[in-house]
Amino acid sequence: CAVCINYRLNLFHQSIIVILIINSAEHRITYNITIFISERALKPIGEFSDKIEEVQLQNLSDSQIEENQVKELNRLSVSYNKMLERLSEAFKIQRQFTENAAHELQTVGRDETIIVNALIDEVLADLEPLAQEKNIKLIGKYKNITMIGSDILIYRLVYNLVENAIKYNHSGGQVTVTADRKEKHVYLSVEDTGAGIPEELKERVFEPFFRVDKSRSRELGGVGLGLALVREIVRVHDGSITVKSNPSGGTIFEVVL
């Protein structure tokens, strides 16, 4: 009968509505559970990230992360803490070196009359075997120049700059040493034809133990103190040193004493 048919249709429609309501509720519950679980799971990662962002050079020892109940994060925390310990020790050694070097250099007499051109000749002669081994041409451009300072320190300054220029050059390249006097100052430059130094690293090359190309530095030897010592020698002579890119490729170190 018609009444029965209408009744069954209404019952069917109501059943559909109930099913849709149940499905919608299930989706909302599933979504809420997913959000809850995700937040709980990601909370340790968020805390880990926040802790890392707080790290500063001055607070390395205070920036270690506590052990985490999540196995993978705990392993990461341990590795992170070990890294901080190594960094802290490295910076400690760096500060100690700077303090010791400054003290030692201050005790060296700096009242000698230095014949700069003769000193450069001596450096180039001492480094000629290394230059020949690397197939590097050494060029000197200077006249008779004298200055007052520490002969042994200025020798070390020039030696380190020229040695660096030879080591980080390419076969067939050249190193040019220029010296001149203008009024009260001596202007010294060491120019190479190597790969050059990225702009953002030019100031960092004077940091103790810093190396632009770590793999090549290990191959060439040394511990990354040559340019740090150069800067300290320049400082105790009340001079300045800058790094520039060579227009024809390579690097130019310019010293004013």
Side-chain angles (χ1 to χ4, degrees):
C1 65
V3 174
C4 293
I5 292 173
N6 288 333
Y7 173 77
R8 288 173 181 172
L9 286 173
N10 288 334
L11 184 61
F12 175 75
H13 289 152
Q14 290 174 4
S15 299
I16 293 296
I17 292 171
V18 169
I19 290 171
L20 291 174
I21 291 172
I22 291 173
N23 284 339
S24 177
E26 286 179 345
H27 283 300
R28 284 198 301 272
I29 292 171
T30 302
Y31 174 78
N32 290 333
I33 291 174
T34 302
I35 292 297
F36 175 76
I37 293 175
S38 297
E39 289 178 348
R40 293 280 294 182
L42 293 175
K43 184 179 179 181
I45 298 177
E47 293 174 349
F48 190 93
S49 176
D50 292 341
K51 190 70 175 179
I52 290 175
E53 289 181 359
E54 294 173 2
V55 175
Q56 299 291 332
L57 178 58
Q58 295 80 7
N59 68 347
L60 287 179
S61 59
D62 301 326
S63 301
Q64 294 199 353
I65 296 177
E66 296 179 0
E67 293 186 8
N68 199 287
Q69 293 180 350
V70 181
K71 183 179 179 181
E72 287 74 13
L73 283 180
N74 186 53
R75 191 181 309 165
L76 184 59
S77 299
V78 171
S79 299
Y80 172 79
N81 289 339
K82 288 181 178 178
M83 179 194 70
L84 285 185
E85 290 174 4
R86 290 194 295 270
L87 282 174
S88 182
E89 184 63 24
F91 285 126
K92 180 180 177 182
I93 293 172
Q94 180 178 337
R95 285 193 297 269
Q96 191 65 49
F97 165 80
T98 303
E99 292 170 5
N100 291 344
H103 174 72
E104 292 297 325
L105 294 178
Q106 288 289 355
T107 62
V108 176
R110 300 186 299 280
D111 56 356
E112 301 170 291
T113 298
I114 304 169
I115 303 175
V116 178
N117 48 295
L119 183 147
I120 297 174
D121 283 339
E122 185 179 355
V123 169
L124 296 184
D126 290 344
L127 286 171
E128 181 61 31
L130 177 63
Q132 289 182 3
E133 179 187 333
K134 302 287 184 180
N135 191 28
I136 304 296
K137 184 179 181 181
L138 300 181
I139 300 172
K141 295 181 179 180
Y142 40 83
K143 299 177 181 178
N144 295 331
I145 303 170
T146 60
M147 64 171 286
I148 302 299
S150 167
D151 184 82
I152 189 171
L153 292 185
I154 298 301
Y155 173 90
R156 177 51 55 185
L157 181 156
V158 178
Y159 186 98
N160 285 5
L161 288 176
V162 176
E163 182 186 41
N164 233 48
I166 294 172
K167 283 184 174 181
Y168 295 96
N169 217 316
H170 58 77
S171 179
Q174 65 183 39
V175 175
T176 304
V177 183
T178 305
D180 194 12
R181 170 174 282 282
K182 296 179 182 178
E183 298 179 353
K184 297 181 179 180
H185 299 288
V186 171
Y187 291 79
L188 171 72
S189 72
V190 177
E191 176 182 333
D192 66 57
T193 54
I197 301 172
E199 191 67 35
E200 66 274 13
L201 299 180
K202 285 181 179 176
E203 284 304 312
R204 295 201 62 196
V205 295
F206 297 109
E207 296 176 8
F209 313 110
F210 179 79
R211 295 170 173 184
V212 175
D213 186 342
K214 294 179 176 57
S215 59
R216 191 174 181 194
S217 294
R218 282 192 294 269
E219 176 187 335
L220 296 172
V223 293
L225 294 176
L227 292 179
L229 184 57
V230 165
R231 182 172 64 177
E232 286 302 313
I233 293 172
V234 170
R235 187 183 64 80
V236 298
H237 281 84
D238 298 321
S240 64
I241 183 167
T242 54
V243 189
K244 297 181 179 180
S245 295
N246 188 342
S248 58
T251 304
I252 303 173
F253 285 86
E254 293 185 343
V255 179
V256 180
L257 299 169

mmCIF file of all heavy atoms in Angstrom, residues 164 167-168 209-225:
data_model
loop_
_atom_site.group_PDB
_atom_site.id
_atom_site.type_symbol
_atom_site.label_atom_id
_atom_site.label_comp_id
_atom_site.label_asym_id
_atom_site.label_seq_id
_atom_site.Cartn_x
_atom_site.Cartn_y
_atom_site.Cartn_z
ATOM 1 N N ASN A 164 101.703 30.189 2.329
ATOM 2 C CA ASN A 164 100.277 29.951 2.089
ATOM 3 C C ASN A 164 99.942 30.138 0.610
ATOM 4 O O ASN A 164 99.194 29.353 0.021
ATOM 5 C CB ASN A 164 99.447 30.923 2.930
ATOM 6 C CG ASN A 164 98.408 30.211 3.760
ATOM 7 O OD1 ASN A 164 98.703 29.237 4.428
ATOM 8 N ND2 ASN A 164 97.185 30.710 3.702
ATOM 9 N N LYS A 167 101.225 27.102 -1.344
ATOM 10 C CA LYS A 167 100.479 25.871 -1.060
ATOM 11 C C LYS A 167 99.107 25.856 -1.711
ATOM 12 O O LYS A 167 98.646 24.835 -2.215
ATOM 13 C CB LYS A 167 100.320 25.689 0.456
ATOM 14 C CG LYS A 167 101.574 25.194 1.158
ATOM 15 C CD LYS A 167 101.272 24.955 2.637
ATOM 16 C CE LYS A 167 102.457 24.323 3.349
ATOM 17 N NZ LYS A 167 102.146 24.071 4.780
ATOM 18 N N TYR A 168 98.428 27.002 -1.693
ATOM 19 C CA TYR A 168 97.053 27.042 -2.192
ATOM 20 C C TYR A 168 96.963 27.646 -3.590
ATOM 21 O O TYR A 168 95.958 28.235 -3.961
ATOM 22 C CB TYR A 168 96.156 27.806 -1.200
ATOM 23 C CG TYR A 168 96.047 27.072 0.110
ATOM 24 C CD1 TYR A 168 96.877 27.394 1.178
ATOM 25 C CD2 TYR A 168 95.150 26.021 0.263
ATOM 26 C CE1 TYR A 168 96.801 26.691 2.369
ATOM 27 C CE2 TYR A 168 95.063 25.322 1.451
ATOM 28 C CZ TYR A 168 95.893 25.655 2.504
ATOM 29 O OH TYR A 168 95.828 24.958 3.684
ATOM 30 N N PHE A 209 93.025 27.768 13.647
ATOM 31 C CA PHE A 209 92.543 26.444 13.258
ATOM 32 C C PHE A 209 91.509 26.472 12.130
ATOM 33 O O PHE A 209 91.018 25.426 11.732
ATOM 34 C CB PHE A 209 91.967 25.667 14.458
ATOM 35 C CG PHE A 209 92.839 25.706 15.671
ATOM 36 C CD1 PHE A 209 92.471 26.426 16.801
ATOM 37 C CD2 PHE A 209 94.052 25.033 15.678
ATOM 38 C CE1 PHE A 209 93.290 26.471 17.912
ATOM 39 C CE2 PHE A 209 94.876 25.064 16.792
ATOM 40 C CZ PHE A 209 94.500 25.786 17.914
ATOM 41 N N PHE A 210 91.179 27.659 11.608
ATOM 42 C CA PHE A 210 90.200 27.715 10.522
ATOM 43 C C PHE A 210 90.872 27.412 9.192
ATOM 44 O O PHE A 210 91.984 27.865 8.926
ATOM 45 C CB PHE A 210 89.535 29.090 10.443
ATOM 46 C CG PHE A 210 88.529 29.188 9.325
ATOM 47 C CD1 PHE A 210 87.267 28.656 9.475
ATOM 48 C CD2 PHE A 210 88.871 29.776 8.108
ATOM 49 C CE1 PHE A 210 86.343 28.723 8.440
ATOM 50 C CE2 PHE A 210 87.954 29.846 7.071
ATOM 51 C CZ PHE A 210 86.679 29.318 7.240
ATOM 52 N N ARG A 211 90.167 26.628 8.350
ATOM 53 C CA ARG A 211 90.677 26.305 7.024
ATOM 54 C C ARG A 211 89.556 26.443 6.012
ATOM 55 O O ARG A 211 88.438 25.974 6.262
ATOM 56 C CB ARG A 211 91.212 24.872 6.989
ATOM 57 C CG ARG A 211 92.420 24.661 7.895
ATOM 58 C CD ARG A 211 92.750 23.201 8.016
ATOM 59 N NE ARG A 211 93.981 22.983 8.740
ATOM 60 C CZ ARG A 211 94.523 21.792 8.922
ATOM 61 N NH1 ARG A 211 93.941 20.723 8.436
ATOM 62 N NH2 ARG A 211 95.637 21.661 9.603
ATOM 63 N N VAL A 212 89.849 27.073 4.885
ATOM 64 C CA VAL A 212 88.837 27.252 3.844
ATOM 65 C C VAL A 212 88.491 25.909 3.214
ATOM 66 O O VAL A 212 87.323 25.547 3.077
ATOM 67 C CB VAL A 212 89.330 28.241 2.761
ATOM 68 C CG1 VAL A 212 88.309 28.326 1.632
ATOM 69 C CG2 VAL A 212 89.558 29.622 3.363
ATOM 70 N N ASP A 213 89.519 25.163 2.834
ATOM 71 C CA ASP A 213 89.336 23.847 2.209
ATOM 72 C C ASP A 213 89.967 22.808 3.128
ATOM 73 O O ASP A 213 91.164 22.561 3.082
ATOM 74 C CB ASP A 213 90.007 23.827 0.827
ATOM 75 C CG ASP A 213 89.731 22.523 0.069
ATOM 76 O OD1 ASP A 213 89.334 21.537 0.716
ATOM 77 O OD2 ASP A 213 89.924 22.502 -1.164
ATOM 78 N N LYS A 214 89.142 22.198 3.992
ATOM 79 C CA LYS A 214 89.670 21.299 5.025
ATOM 80 C C LYS A 214 90.344 20.074 4.434
ATOM 81 O O LYS A 214 91.376 19.628 4.921
ATOM 82 C CB LYS A 214 88.538 20.886 5.971
ATOM 83 C CG LYS A 214 87.993 22.053 6.788
ATOM 84 C CD LYS A 214 86.866 21.601 7.688
ATOM 85 C CE LYS A 214 86.388 22.749 8.579
ATOM 86 N NZ LYS A 214 85.948 23.917 7.835
ATOM 87 N N SER A 215 89.761 19.499 3.369
ATOM 88 C CA SER A 215 90.347 18.296 2.785
ATOM 89 C C SER A 215 91.719 18.594 2.194
ATOM 90 O O SER A 215 92.672 17.841 2.374
ATOM 91 C CB SER A 215 89.426 17.728 1.705
ATOM 92 O OG SER A 215 89.214 18.686 0.675
ATOM 93 N N ARG A 216 91.843 19.738 1.514
ATOM 94 C CA ARG A 216 93.136 20.082 0.916
ATOM 95 C C ARG A 216 94.142 20.481 1.984
ATOM 96 O O ARG A 216 95.332 20.205 1.865
ATOM 97 C CB ARG A 216 92.951 21.229 -0.091
ATOM 98 C CG ARG A 216 94.196 21.445 -0.939
ATOM 99 C CD ARG A 216 93.989 22.467 -2.013
ATOM 100 N NE ARG A 216 95.195 22.621 -2.810
ATOM 101 C CZ ARG A 216 95.403 23.628 -3.644
ATOM 102 N NH1 ARG A 216 94.486 24.561 -3.800
ATOM 103 N NH2 ARG A 216 96.518 23.713 -4.329
ATOM 104 N N SER A 217 93.660 21.110 3.056
ATOM 105 C CA SER A 217 94.552 21.522 4.137
ATOM 106 C C SER A 217 95.170 20.318 4.817
ATOM 107 O O SER A 217 96.349 20.325 5.175
ATOM 108 C CB SER A 217 93.774 22.363 5.164
ATOM 109 O OG SER A 217 93.355 23.581 4.591
ATOM 110 N N ARG A 218 94.370 19.274 5.012
ATOM 111 C CA ARG A 218 94.912 18.052 5.612
ATOM 112 C C ARG A 218 95.979 17.442 4.711
ATOM 113 O O ARG A 218 97.001 16.945 5.168
ATOM 114 C CB ARG A 218 93.783 17.047 5.858
ATOM 115 C CG ARG A 218 92.942 17.360 7.085
ATOM 116 C CD ARG A 218 92.055 16.183 7.429
ATOM 117 N NE ARG A 218 91.053 15.945 6.399
ATOM 118 C CZ ARG A 218 89.848 16.487 6.398
ATOM 119 N NH1 ARG A 218 89.495 17.309 7.366
ATOM 120 N NH2 ARG A 218 88.976 16.219 5.433
ATOM 121 N N GLU A 219 95.738 17.516 3.406
ATOM 122 C CA GLU A 219 96.693 16.961 2.440
ATOM 123 C C GLU A 219 97.999 17.746 2.453
ATOM 124 O O GLU A 219 99.086 17.182 2.339
ATOM 125 C CB GLU A 219 96.064 17.012 1.038
ATOM 126 C CG GLU A 219 96.970 16.551 -0.078
ATOM 127 C CD GLU A 219 96.339 16.785 -1.445
ATOM 128 O OE1 GLU A 219 95.100 16.834 -1.528
ATOM 129 O OE2 GLU A 219 97.096 16.912 -2.418
ATOM 130 N N LEU A 220 97.890 19.078 2.645
ATOM 131 C CA LEU A 220 99.071 19.934 2.597
ATOM 132 C C LEU A 220 99.775 20.047 3.945
ATOM 133 O O LEU A 220 100.890 20.562 4.025
ATOM 134 C CB LEU A 220 98.670 21.338 2.109
ATOM 135 C CG LEU A 220 98.133 21.413 0.678
ATOM 136 C CD1 LEU A 220 97.587 22.796 0.391
ATOM 137 C CD2 LEU A 220 99.224 21.048 -0.321
ATOM 138 N N GLY A 221 99.118 19.593 5.010
ATOM 139 C CA GLY A 221 99.722 19.672 6.333
ATOM 140 C C GLY A 221 99.409 20.993 7.010
ATOM 141 O O GLY A 221 98.732 21.867 6.481
ATOM 142 N N GLY A 222 99.940 21.151 8.236
ATOM 143 C CA GLY A 222 99.672 22.358 9.002
ATOM 144 C C GLY A 222 98.433 22.198 9.864
ATOM 145 O O GLY A 222 97.644 21.271 9.678
ATOM 146 N N VAL A 223 98.283 23.128 10.814
ATOM 147 C CA VAL A 223 97.147 23.034 11.740
ATOM 148 C C VAL A 223 96.239 24.254 11.687
ATOM 149 O O VAL A 223 95.344 24.402 12.506
ATOM 150 C CB VAL A 223 97.649 22.824 13.193
ATOM 151 C CG1 VAL A 223 98.303 21.473 13.344
ATOM 152 C CG2 VAL A 223 98.608 23.936 13.610
ATOM 153 N N GLY A 224 96.462 25.149 10.732
ATOM 154 C CA GLY A 224 95.579 26.299 10.597
ATOM 155 C C GLY A 224 95.916 27.467 11.501
ATOM 156 O O GLY A 224 95.037 28.228 11.899
ATOM 157 N N LEU A 225 97.220 27.630 11.837
ATOM 158 C CA LEU A 225 97.620 28.731 12.716
ATOM 159 C C LEU A 225 98.431 29.805 11.999
ATOM 160 O O LEU A 225 98.694 30.859 12.570
ATOM 161 C CB LEU A 225 98.440 28.188 13.898
ATOM 162 C CG LEU A 225 97.695 27.294 14.873
ATOM 163 C CD1 LEU A 225 98.655 26.758 15.920
ATOM 164 C CD2 LEU A 225 96.556 28.051 15.543
#
